Amino acid sequence: MNRNKILIASLLLLQFELNSKCSNAQVNFGQFQNQHTFTQTSEFMPSYIGEGVRKFKITFFDFYVSASNSSISIAQLNSMINSNSWSNKTIDSLLNQLKTENAIYAGGNFSFLNVAININKHKRKFLSASIGMRERLDLNMIYSRNLISLLLKGNKQFAGEKINLSPLSVNFLQCTDYYFGMKALLSFKLGKKTLLKIKPELQFHYLTSMANVYMKKADFNLFTQPNGRELNLNYDYDMYIASPGNNMGVHGLFGEVLPKDIKKNLFNGIGGGKALDFGLGIDVNDWIKINMALNDVGSISFKNHAVNYSGNGDLEFDGFSTSYTETQNSFKSQTDSMLSILKPTIENAEYKVPFATKYFTNVSFNLMKKRKKNGMVYFRHTFNVTYIKGFKNYLNTTKVPLMALGYNYSVGNILNFGINAAKRGSDIKSVGANLSCQMGHYQLWFNCNNLLPLIDKRSAKGVDGAIGMGMEF
């Protein structure tokens, strides 16, 4: 085997030892446009607390999952997976799709309970409150085109060049979220025909976590000498991991995780933190509604079962001695020797990890206002514009904003259905739909923000879906 390829395999083995074992339609924006799912929307945007509810609503099941990547279509993934061998044309086609920075995301949100209540004063709603509990899972990976090119085509292509293998980042957070929110309603008359409603909101979250991976930094620079006989690697990485396992770093990155450890920490977790959501709603005669929120402002701390893996330095390598590559054992001993040079410093360390803070704006235009016999108000037609932006590429946020347009049609507030289209974010573009029904006090809803896998796999770069049920009074 060519010794440059042996080196690359060894370096990549290190990368995967540090990263792969750590293991963006990232928010269900389709629920923002359907009156039957406003209570679920309030988990992210507190200005929706009590919206679409006459007096009281309880959601006892709401499940949403999402997976996406920023660069490769589902059609391309299927082609590569089903291919018996990869030609140079296949590899070049893949690399041409990659950007300097690429992202992969997978996550889910399961709501065990969500209760919303409206409090009236002089027969007018003036205060709304919500309380709930949900499970949150988010995993994202950021990787560079150079790293994949190095994996697939070797280092000869970079002879005489210094290349940056960054960005390279893996982040994962599991947490149980207990939240409580309050919303006030202030009404003002502007002239004879305009009623302005101002709705300030605040939502508090207390969270516990059982597992986390937080890559604070990861810089890898590789230089291949012009003759291809020597490689220089400069590395500097800092990664924190928390899990209920013991002997972390000795029994793998997450340690030795036993059922009794999970049971012991199931409710209290191994980490805890707090977060706030700030919201503001503005209604103009109910025809125009503007809802804004700053979501997940806070952090979570890990004190026990937390380890820091770090390392920095330079490594020069000119290949393995041919006299030692005759047997598998001697080759393995040299590989282990090289990996020992790059072995991270491992220490128990308390650390704090931020949440994925993001900003939301939703503007709806509502037509044909209706009032049912029980006093419930709804609109036959609703047009929506939604804007979501994170402050960094982390967990379920991206710095690239997502813009979505939606339309919803209501049949007596018994059957609601709508469509939406979105651009940018982790999925780049998507087309979705939602459907819900209310029979008596019972509600059932479904929605998917990305139906492109069923329509055009060449354009689809992600999948997601939600289902839920509840009771409204």
Side-chain angles (χ1 to χ4, degrees):
M1 180 183 289
N2 181 283
R3 60 184 178 182
N4 283 343
K5 290 187 177 180
I6 295 175
L7 170 63
I8 296 304
S10 302
L11 293 178
L12 291 173
L13 177 61
L14 167 69
Q15 300 266 358
F16 281 100
E17 283 292 318
L18 295 176
N19 295 305
S20 67
K21 291 182 182 177
C22 301
S23 78
N24 273 288
Q26 302 151 337
V27 173
N28 191 5
F29 56 86
Q31 291 185 334
F32 292 19
Q33 67 186 70
N34 188 340
Q35 182 168 316
H36 289 166
T37 54
F38 283 169
T39 300
Q40 288 65 60
T41 303
S42 69
E43 295 176 357
F44 303 99
M45 297 185 69
S47 56
Y48 278 94
I49 295 174
E51 295 292 312
V53 179
R54 190 165 62 93
K55 293 182 179 180
F56 174 82
K57 180 176 179 179
I58 178 170
T59 298
F60 41 83
F61 177 81
D62 186 61
F63 185 65
Y64 174 70
V65 293
S66 172
S68 62
N69 82 96
S70 63
S71 306
I72 306 170
S73 72
I74 291 178
Q76 288 175 307
L77 285 174
N78 286 339
S79 176
M80 290 186 291
I81 291 172
N82 296 325
S83 177
N84 293 326
S85 62
W86 286 16
S87 65
N88 289 331
K89 184 178 179 180
T90 302
I91 293 174
D92 290 338
S93 176
L94 169 63
L95 293 176
N96 288 337
Q97 297 299 316
L98 298 180
K99 307 176 182 65
T100 301
E101 180 176 312
N102 306 273
I104 297 174
Y105 171 80
N109 184 78
F110 178 58
S111 179
F112 294 99
L113 180 70
N114 188 331
V115 178
I117 185 170
N118 290 322
I119 302 171
N120 294 335
K121 184 178 181 179
H122 304 304
K123 296 183 179 181
R124 289 181 178 271
K125 182 170 64 176
F126 86 103
L127 191 67
S128 299
S130 71
I131 187 170
M133 173 186 174
R134 59 178 171 150
E135 194 73 17
R136 302 164 61 175
L137 289 166
D138 293 291
L139 166 69
N140 84 308
M141 179 177 180
I142 308 296
Y143 64 95
S144 69
R145 183 183 185 277
N146 282 343
L147 177 62
I148 303 302
S149 181
L150 184 65
L151 260 170
L152 298 178
K153 301 182 71 172
N155 67 297
K156 185 178 180 180
Q157 59 181 315
F158 301 121
E161 295 182 50
K162 181 179 181 180
I163 63 166
N164 190 346
L165 302 180
S166 306
L168 179 62
S169 177
V170 176
N171 293 284
F172 169 77
L173 179 64
Q174 174 278 331
C175 60
T176 303
D177 182 358
Y178 306 88
Y179 56 91
F180 172 74
M182 293 287 291
K183 180 182 80 173
L185 192 153
L186 309 173
S187 300
F188 305 91
K189 280 192 174 182
L190 302 179
K192 296 181 179 181
K193 297 183 178 181
T194 303
L195 178 63
L196 185 68
K197 297 178 182 178
I198 305 296
K199 300 176 288 186
E201 307 88 19
L202 180 66
Q203 191 156 243
F204 172 79
H205 299 261
Y206 174 73
L207 304 104
T208 63
S209 175
M210 284 279 284
N212 173 248
V213 176
Y214 177 46
M215 186 162 280
K216 194 171 183 180
K217 65 178 178 179
D219 295 316
F220 296 89
N221 294 284
L222 181 69
F223 177 73
T224 302
Q225 295 290 346
N227 59 14
R229 295 181 61 86
E230 183 177 294
L231 298 176
N232 303 85
L233 176 69
N234 173 263
Y235 58 95
D236 184 10
Y237 59 89
D238 194 6
M239 180 172 65
Y240 294 87
I241 294 180
S243 90
N246 296 307
N247 300 315
M248 296 172 67
V250 178
H251 292 281
L253 290 178
F254 287 99
E256 187 179 20
V257 182
L258 301 174
K260 65 177 183 178
D261 299 316
I262 298 175
K263 183 179 179 180
K264 178 182 177 181
N265 297 286
L266 187 59
F267 293 103
N268 295 326
I270 58 170
K274 302 176 182 66
L276 291 172
D277 300 335
F278 302 92
L280 179 66
I282 302 172
D283 294 359
V284 182
N285 287 340
D286 288 335
W287 308 112
I288 301 175
K289 296 177 181 286
I290 303 170
N291 291 282
M292 298 170 285
L294 188 64
N295 170 266
D296 278 345
V297 180
S299 61
I300 190 164
S301 297
F302 295 91
K303 297 181 180 180
N304 302 316
H305 300 275
V307 173
N308 173 228
Y309 296 84
S310 62
N312 64 82
D314 295 280
L315 174 66
E316 294 184 359
F317 183 74
D318 60 1
F320 293 107
S321 172
T322 56
S323 61
Y324 289 100
T325 58
E326 296 175 356
T327 68
Q328 183 177 358
N329 289 335
S330 57
F331 171 75
K332 182 180 184 302
S333 67
Q334 291 196 70
T335 303
D336 291 341
S337 176
M338 191 180 79
L339 290 176
S340 67
I341 300 174
L342 297 170
K343 186 176 182 180
T345 299
I346 304 173
E347 60 179 349
N348 295 323
E350 176 183 345
Y351 71 97
K352 183 180 292 186
V353 60
F355 290 118
T357 305
K358 46 198 166 291
Y359 173 77
F360 298 86
T361 295
N362 177 268
V363 180
S364 66
F365 304 90
N366 309 283
L367 304 176
M368 296 185 67
K369 185 177 181 179
K370 303 289 183 178
R371 186 182 296 272
K372 303 188 75 171
K373 291 182 180 180
N374 62 6
M376 172 64 76
V377 173
Y378 70 96
F379 294 88
R380 180 73 57 82
H381 306 279
T382 302
F383 299 87
N384 277 266
V385 179
T386 302
Y387 176 88
I388 306 172
K389 188 180 188 306
F391 295 93
K392 58 182 177 179
N393 298 328
Y394 173 64
L395 295 178
N396 67 344
T397 65
T398 63
K399 292 186 291 185
V400 179
L402 180 144
M403 180 73 75
L405 302 177
Y407 167 75
N408 207 74
Y409 182 80
S410 179
V411 181
N413 201 40
I414 297 173
L415 181 66
N416 292 355
F417 56 91
I419 57 174
N420 61 62
K423 189 174 182 180
R424 302 304 296 172
S426 63
D427 279 344
I428 305 301
K429 59 182 178 180
S430 63
V431 176
N434 69 82
L435 174 67
S436 65
C437 63
Q438 178 164 340
M439 300 299 293
H441 296 297
Y442 296 92
Q443 291 182 344
L444 178 66
W445 56 85
F446 310 88
N447 87 278
C448 176
N449 296 308
N450 194 357
L451 293 171
L452 283 179
L454 303 177
I455 302 170
D456 182 9
K457 292 183 179 181
R458 294 172 298 177
S459 301
K461 296 180 181 178
V463 293
D464 80 332
I467 182 173
M469 60 184 69
M471 297 180 66
E472 190 271 330
F473 300 89

mmCIF file of all heavy atoms in Angstrom, residues 107-141:
data_model
loop_
_atom_site.group_PDB
_atom_site.id
_atom_site.type_symbol
_atom_site.label_atom_id
_atom_site.label_comp_id
_atom_site.label_asym_id
_atom_site.label_seq_id
_atom_site.Cartn_x
_atom_site.Cartn_y
_atom_site.Cartn_z
ATOM 1 N N GLY A 107 -32.722 15.342 14.404
ATOM 2 C CA GLY A 107 -33.259 15.703 15.706
ATOM 3 C C GLY A 107 -34.721 15.367 15.844
ATOM 4 O O GLY A 107 -35.387 14.946 14.895
ATOM 5 N N GLY A 108 -35.223 15.568 17.047
ATOM 6 C CA GLY A 108 -36.623 15.291 17.317
ATOM 7 C C GLY A 108 -37.107 16.056 18.523
ATOM 8 O O GLY A 108 -36.319 16.520 19.368
ATOM 9 N N ASN A 109 -38.411 16.218 18.594
ATOM 10 C CA ASN A 109 -39.052 16.927 19.686
ATOM 11 C C ASN A 109 -40.325 16.153 20.050
ATOM 12 O O ASN A 109 -41.216 16.003 19.211
ATOM 13 C CB ASN A 109 -39.394 18.354 19.255
ATOM 14 C CG ASN A 109 -39.971 19.178 20.389
ATOM 15 O OD1 ASN A 109 -39.238 19.656 21.244
ATOM 16 N ND2 ASN A 109 -41.278 19.367 20.397
ATOM 17 N N PHE A 110 -40.384 15.639 21.274
ATOM 18 C CA PHE A 110 -41.550 14.881 21.709
ATOM 19 C C PHE A 110 -42.175 15.562 22.908
ATOM 20 O O PHE A 110 -41.560 15.663 23.966
ATOM 21 C CB PHE A 110 -41.165 13.440 22.059
ATOM 22 C CG PHE A 110 -42.319 12.613 22.564
ATOM 23 C CD1 PHE A 110 -43.451 12.433 21.779
ATOM 24 C CD2 PHE A 110 -42.277 12.030 23.816
ATOM 25 C CE1 PHE A 110 -44.511 11.676 22.237
ATOM 26 C CE2 PHE A 110 -43.339 11.267 24.284
ATOM 27 C CZ PHE A 110 -44.463 11.091 23.494
ATOM 28 N N SER A 111 -43.397 16.053 22.728
ATOM 29 C CA SER A 111 -44.104 16.755 23.793
ATOM 30 C C SER A 111 -44.959 15.767 24.576
ATOM 31 O O SER A 111 -45.895 15.174 24.039
ATOM 32 C CB SER A 111 -44.979 17.864 23.198
ATOM 33 O OG SER A 111 -45.684 18.543 24.216
ATOM 34 N N PHE A 112 -44.625 15.579 25.854
ATOM 35 C CA PHE A 112 -45.408 14.697 26.717
ATOM 36 C C PHE A 112 -46.688 15.384 27.174
ATOM 37 O O PHE A 112 -47.729 14.747 27.331
ATOM 38 C CB PHE A 112 -44.593 14.308 27.961
ATOM 39 C CG PHE A 112 -43.403 13.460 27.670
ATOM 40 C CD1 PHE A 112 -42.140 14.021 27.579
ATOM 41 C CD2 PHE A 112 -43.533 12.095 27.484
ATOM 42 C CE1 PHE A 112 -41.031 13.242 27.327
ATOM 43 C CE2 PHE A 112 -42.430 11.302 27.226
ATOM 44 C CZ PHE A 112 -41.175 11.872 27.144
ATOM 45 N N LEU A 113 -46.592 16.700 27.394
ATOM 46 C CA LEU A 113 -47.729 17.444 27.933
ATOM 47 C C LEU A 113 -47.571 18.918 27.622
ATOM 48 O O LEU A 113 -46.481 19.476 27.751
ATOM 49 C CB LEU A 113 -47.816 17.248 29.458
ATOM 50 C CG LEU A 113 -48.961 17.957 30.175
ATOM 51 C CD1 LEU A 113 -50.292 17.305 29.816
ATOM 52 C CD2 LEU A 113 -48.750 17.916 31.699
ATOM 53 N N ASN A 114 -48.661 19.535 27.184
ATOM 54 C CA ASN A 114 -48.666 20.970 26.949
ATOM 55 C C ASN A 114 -50.069 21.471 27.288
ATOM 56 O O ASN A 114 -51.045 21.064 26.661
ATOM 57 C CB ASN A 114 -48.314 21.284 25.494
ATOM 58 C CG ASN A 114 -48.115 22.771 25.257
ATOM 59 O OD1 ASN A 114 -48.694 23.614 25.930
ATOM 60 N ND2 ASN A 114 -47.281 23.090 24.268
ATOM 61 N N VAL A 115 -50.152 22.325 28.290
ATOM 62 C CA VAL A 115 -51.445 22.843 28.745
ATOM 63 C C VAL A 115 -51.466 24.349 28.559
ATOM 64 O O VAL A 115 -50.533 25.045 28.956
ATOM 65 C CB VAL A 115 -51.689 22.490 30.228
ATOM 66 C CG1 VAL A 115 -53.023 23.079 30.697
ATOM 67 C CG2 VAL A 115 -51.664 20.986 30.439
ATOM 68 N N ALA A 116 -52.534 24.853 27.936
ATOM 69 C CA ALA A 116 -52.713 26.289 27.751
ATOM 70 C C ALA A 116 -54.057 26.705 28.319
ATOM 71 O O ALA A 116 -55.056 25.987 28.169
ATOM 72 C CB ALA A 116 -52.642 26.648 26.269
ATOM 73 N N ILE A 117 -54.095 27.851 28.970
ATOM 74 C CA ILE A 117 -55.322 28.342 29.569
ATOM 75 C C ILE A 117 -55.431 29.848 29.365
ATOM 76 O O ILE A 117 -54.423 30.565 29.441
ATOM 77 C CB ILE A 117 -55.382 27.997 31.081
ATOM 78 C CG1 ILE A 117 -56.732 28.419 31.671
ATOM 79 C CG2 ILE A 117 -54.219 28.608 31.838
ATOM 80 C CD1 ILE A 117 -56.964 27.894 33.073
ATOM 81 N N ASN A 118 -56.655 30.302 29.057
ATOM 82 C CA ASN A 118 -56.935 31.730 28.911
ATOM 83 C C ASN A 118 -57.775 32.212 30.084
ATOM 84 O O ASN A 118 -58.739 31.551 30.492
ATOM 85 C CB ASN A 118 -57.691 32.004 27.606
ATOM 86 C CG ASN A 118 -56.816 31.809 26.383
ATOM 87 O OD1 ASN A 118 -55.636 32.141 26.397
ATOM 88 N ND2 ASN A 118 -57.378 31.246 25.326
ATOM 89 N N ILE A 119 -57.412 33.360 30.634
ATOM 90 C CA ILE A 119 -58.118 33.951 31.767
ATOM 91 C C ILE A 119 -58.786 35.241 31.307
ATOM 92 O O ILE A 119 -58.114 36.118 30.728
ATOM 93 C CB ILE A 119 -57.148 34.233 32.935
ATOM 94 C CG1 ILE A 119 -56.465 32.926 33.363
ATOM 95 C CG2 ILE A 119 -57.882 34.864 34.111
ATOM 96 C CD1 ILE A 119 -55.348 33.123 34.356
ATOM 97 N N ASN A 120 -60.087 35.341 31.526
ATOM 98 C CA ASN A 120 -60.855 36.500 31.070
ATOM 99 C C ASN A 120 -61.082 37.503 32.192
ATOM 100 O O ASN A 120 -61.132 37.146 33.377
ATOM 101 C CB ASN A 120 -62.208 36.060 30.514
ATOM 102 C CG ASN A 120 -62.076 35.229 29.262
ATOM 103 O OD1 ASN A 120 -61.084 35.329 28.537
ATOM 104 N ND2 ASN A 120 -63.055 34.382 29.006
ATOM 105 N N LYS A 121 -61.242 38.742 31.798
ATOM 106 C CA LYS A 121 -61.597 39.821 32.711
ATOM 107 C C LYS A 121 -62.608 40.702 31.996
ATOM 108 O O LYS A 121 -62.324 41.220 30.909
ATOM 109 C CB LYS A 121 -60.349 40.626 33.080
ATOM 110 C CG LYS A 121 -60.620 41.722 34.103
ATOM 111 C CD LYS A 121 -59.324 42.442 34.468
ATOM 112 C CE LYS A 121 -59.581 43.521 35.523
ATOM 113 N NZ LYS A 121 -58.328 44.221 35.899
ATOM 114 N N HIS A 122 -63.779 40.836 32.590
ATOM 115 C CA HIS A 122 -64.882 41.551 31.954
ATOM 116 C C HIS A 122 -65.180 40.959 30.578
ATOM 117 O O HIS A 122 -65.361 41.680 29.595
ATOM 118 C CB HIS A 122 -64.561 43.048 31.824
ATOM 119 C CG HIS A 122 -64.232 43.713 33.117
ATOM 120 N ND1 HIS A 122 -65.066 43.699 34.212
ATOM 121 C CD2 HIS A 122 -63.113 44.409 33.500
ATOM 122 C CE1 HIS A 122 -64.498 44.364 35.212
ATOM 123 N NE2 HIS A 122 -63.310 44.800 34.799
ATOM 124 N N LYS A 123 -65.204 39.617 30.534
ATOM 125 C CA LYS A 123 -65.531 38.846 29.338
ATOM 126 C C LYS A 123 -64.527 39.036 28.205
ATOM 127 O O LYS A 123 -64.801 38.706 27.056
ATOM 128 C CB LYS A 123 -66.940 39.197 28.844
ATOM 129 C CG LYS A 123 -68.037 38.821 29.832
ATOM 130 C CD LYS A 123 -69.415 39.118 29.247
ATOM 131 C CE LYS A 123 -70.501 38.719 30.228
ATOM 132 N NZ LYS A 123 -71.864 38.963 29.679
ATOM 133 N N ARG A 124 -63.372 39.567 28.531
ATOM 134 C CA ARG A 124 -62.313 39.730 27.533
ATOM 135 C C ARG A 124 -61.044 39.026 28.008
ATOM 136 O O ARG A 124 -60.688 39.112 29.186
ATOM 137 C CB ARG A 124 -62.004 41.207 27.279
ATOM 138 C CG ARG A 124 -63.097 41.948 26.524
ATOM 139 C CD ARG A 124 -62.696 43.401 26.307
ATOM 140 N NE ARG A 124 -63.693 44.128 25.545
ATOM 141 C CZ ARG A 124 -63.696 44.206 24.218
ATOM 142 N NH1 ARG A 124 -62.750 43.620 23.520
ATOM 143 N NH2 ARG A 124 -64.639 44.902 23.590
ATOM 144 N N LYS A 125 -60.387 38.357 27.097
ATOM 145 C CA LYS A 125 -59.136 37.681 27.440
ATOM 146 C C LYS A 125 -58.070 38.718 27.773
ATOM 147 O O LYS A 125 -57.827 39.642 26.992
ATOM 148 C CB LYS A 125 -58.686 36.790 26.278
ATOM 149 C CG LYS A 125 -57.423 36.002 26.558
ATOM 150 C CD LYS A 125 -57.161 34.965 25.484
ATOM 151 C CE LYS A 125 -56.894 35.571 24.137
ATOM 152 N NZ LYS A 125 -56.551 34.558 23.117
ATOM 153 N N PHE A 126 -57.436 38.574 28.922
ATOM 154 C CA PHE A 126 -56.377 39.521 29.270
ATOM 155 C C PHE A 126 -55.092 38.836 29.713
ATOM 156 O O PHE A 126 -54.036 39.459 29.786
ATOM 157 C CB PHE A 126 -56.863 40.478 30.371
ATOM 158 C CG PHE A 126 -56.691 39.959 31.770
ATOM 159 C CD1 PHE A 126 -55.668 40.424 32.586
ATOM 160 C CD2 PHE A 126 -57.544 38.991 32.285
ATOM 161 C CE1 PHE A 126 -55.512 39.952 33.877
ATOM 162 C CE2 PHE A 126 -57.388 38.509 33.578
ATOM 163 C CZ PHE A 126 -56.379 38.988 34.384
ATOM 164 N N LEU A 127 -55.158 37.515 29.996
ATOM 165 C CA LEU A 127 -53.958 36.805 30.436
ATOM 166 C C LEU A 127 -54.028 35.362 29.944
ATOM 167 O O LEU A 127 -55.080 34.730 29.986
ATOM 168 C CB LEU A 127 -53.867 36.827 31.964
ATOM 169 C CG LEU A 127 -52.535 36.363 32.592
ATOM 170 C CD1 LEU A 127 -51.423 37.335 32.244
ATOM 171 C CD2 LEU A 127 -52.694 36.243 34.113
ATOM 172 N N SER A 128 -52.889 34.857 29.463
ATOM 173 C CA SER A 128 -52.792 33.462 29.023
ATOM 174 C C SER A 128 -51.567 32.831 29.670
ATOM 175 O O SER A 128 -50.558 33.512 29.914
ATOM 176 C CB SER A 128 -52.669 33.372 27.500
ATOM 177 O OG SER A 128 -53.790 33.930 26.862
ATOM 178 N N ALA A 129 -51.663 31.534 29.945
ATOM 179 C CA ALA A 129 -50.546 30.822 30.572
ATOM 180 C C ALA A 129 -50.401 29.442 29.952
ATOM 181 O O ALA A 129 -51.364 28.869 29.434
ATOM 182 C CB ALA A 129 -50.767 30.710 32.077
ATOM 183 N N SER A 130 -49.194 28.911 30.012
ATOM 184 C CA SER A 130 -48.949 27.554 29.513
ATOM 185 C C SER A 130 -47.937 26.867 30.404
ATOM 186 O O SER A 130 -47.089 27.511 31.030
ATOM 187 C CB SER A 130 -48.440 27.582 28.067
ATOM 188 O OG SER A 130 -47.113 28.074 28.014
ATOM 189 N N ILE A 131 -48.048 25.561 30.458
ATOM 190 C CA ILE A 131 -47.096 24.750 31.206
ATOM 191 C C ILE A 131 -46.928 23.441 30.454
ATOM 192 O O ILE A 131 -47.889 22.931 29.860
ATOM 193 C CB ILE A 131 -47.569 24.510 32.657
ATOM 194 C CG1 ILE A 131 -46.473 23.811 33.461
ATOM 195 C CG2 ILE A 131 -48.882 23.730 32.693
ATOM 196 C CD1 ILE A 131 -46.763 23.765 34.951
ATOM 197 N N GLY A 132 -45.729 22.905 30.418
ATOM 198 C CA GLY A 132 -45.538 21.685 29.648
ATOM 199 C C GLY A 132 -44.223 20.991 29.927
ATOM 200 O O GLY A 132 -43.371 21.483 30.667
ATOM 201 N N MET A 133 -44.073 19.844 29.277
ATOM 202 C CA MET A 133 -42.863 19.030 29.398
ATOM 203 C C MET A 133 -42.625 18.350 28.050
ATOM 204 O O MET A 133 -43.556 17.818 27.443
ATOM 205 C CB MET A 133 -43.037 17.978 30.486
ATOM 206 C CG MET A 133 -41.909 16.962 30.587
ATOM 207 S SD MET A 133 -42.306 15.670 31.793
ATOM 208 C CE MET A 133 -40.916 14.562 31.548
ATOM 209 N N ARG A 134 -41.404 18.388 27.585
ATOM 210 C CA ARG A 134 -41.070 17.749 26.315
ATOM 211 C C ARG A 134 -39.637 17.218 26.340
ATOM 212 O O ARG A 134 -38.804 17.640 27.145
ATOM 213 C CB ARG A 134 -41.232 18.727 25.151
ATOM 214 C CG ARG A 134 -40.373 19.968 25.259
ATOM 215 C CD ARG A 134 -40.527 20.879 24.065
ATOM 216 N NE ARG A 134 -39.870 22.158 24.283
ATOM 217 C CZ ARG A 134 -39.336 22.901 23.317
ATOM 218 N NH1 ARG A 134 -39.376 22.471 22.076
ATOM 219 N NH2 ARG A 134 -38.774 24.054 23.593
ATOM 220 N N GLU A 135 -39.374 16.294 25.427
ATOM 221 C CA GLU A 135 -38.046 15.721 25.258
ATOM 222 C C GLU A 135 -37.444 16.288 23.979
ATOM 223 O O GLU A 135 -38.106 16.326 22.934
ATOM 224 C CB GLU A 135 -38.146 14.205 25.171
ATOM 225 C CG GLU A 135 -36.828 13.482 25.327
ATOM 226 C CD GLU A 135 -36.300 13.498 26.742
ATOM 227 O OE1 GLU A 135 -37.084 13.787 27.683
ATOM 228 O OE2 GLU A 135 -35.099 13.228 26.920
ATOM 229 N N ARG A 136 -36.179 16.714 24.059
ATOM 230 C CA ARG A 136 -35.524 17.331 22.897
ATOM 231 C C ARG A 136 -34.216 16.597 22.585
ATOM 232 O O ARG A 136 -33.415 16.319 23.474
ATOM 233 C CB ARG A 136 -35.243 18.812 23.174
ATOM 234 C CG ARG A 136 -36.475 19.604 23.496
ATOM 235 C CD ARG A 136 -36.181 20.952 24.146
ATOM 236 N NE ARG A 136 -35.397 21.830 23.308
ATOM 237 C CZ ARG A 136 -35.103 23.096 23.644
ATOM 238 N NH1 ARG A 136 -35.520 23.607 24.784
ATOM 239 N NH2 ARG A 136 -34.381 23.836 22.829
ATOM 240 N N LEU A 137 -33.998 16.315 21.293
ATOM 241 C CA LEU A 137 -32.776 15.675 20.819
ATOM 242 C C LEU A 137 -32.282 16.417 19.588
ATOM 243 O O LEU A 137 -33.048 16.620 18.639
ATOM 244 C CB LEU A 137 -33.026 14.205 20.458
ATOM 245 C CG LEU A 137 -33.284 13.217 21.590
ATOM 246 C CD1 LEU A 137 -33.842 11.921 21.025
ATOM 247 C CD2 LEU A 137 -31.994 12.933 22.347
ATOM 248 N N ASP A 138 -31.021 16.813 19.601
ATOM 249 C CA ASP A 138 -30.443 17.505 18.447
ATOM 250 C C ASP A 138 -29.014 17.048 18.227
ATOM 251 O O ASP A 138 -28.215 16.989 19.174
ATOM 252 C CB ASP A 138 -30.460 19.025 18.655
ATOM 253 C CG ASP A 138 -31.857 19.604 18.680
ATOM 254 O OD1 ASP A 138 -32.505 19.606 17.622
ATOM 255 O OD2 ASP A 138 -32.300 20.042 19.758
ATOM 256 N N LEU A 139 -28.691 16.721 16.981
ATOM 257 C CA LEU A 139 -27.335 16.335 16.587
ATOM 258 C C LEU A 139 -26.988 17.039 15.297
ATOM 259 O O LEU A 139 -27.757 16.997 14.328
ATOM 260 C CB LEU A 139 -27.247 14.820 16.380
ATOM 261 C CG LEU A 139 -25.990 14.298 15.656
ATOM 262 C CD1 LEU A 139 -24.762 14.471 16.537
ATOM 263 C CD2 LEU A 139 -26.167 12.842 15.267
ATOM 264 N N ASN A 140 -25.867 17.747 15.274
ATOM 265 C CA ASN A 140 -25.424 18.331 14.004
ATOM 266 C C ASN A 140 -23.924 18.134 13.827
ATOM 267 O O ASN A 140 -23.176 18.000 14.796
ATOM 268 C CB ASN A 140 -25.791 19.816 13.905
ATOM 269 C CG ASN A 140 -24.773 20.724 14.576
ATOM 270 O OD1 ASN A 140 -24.427 20.515 15.740
ATOM 271 N ND2 ASN A 140 -24.307 21.726 13.867
ATOM 272 N N MET A 141 -23.525 18.066 12.574
ATOM 273 C CA MET A 141 -22.113 17.931 12.227
ATOM 274 C C MET A 141 -21.784 18.926 11.128
ATOM 275 O O MET A 141 -22.512 19.043 10.141
ATOM 276 C CB MET A 141 -21.794 16.516 11.746
ATOM 277 C CG MET A 141 -20.341 16.338 11.341
ATOM 278 S SD MET A 141 -19.955 14.627 10.859
ATOM 279 C CE MET A 141 -18.207 14.793 10.445
#
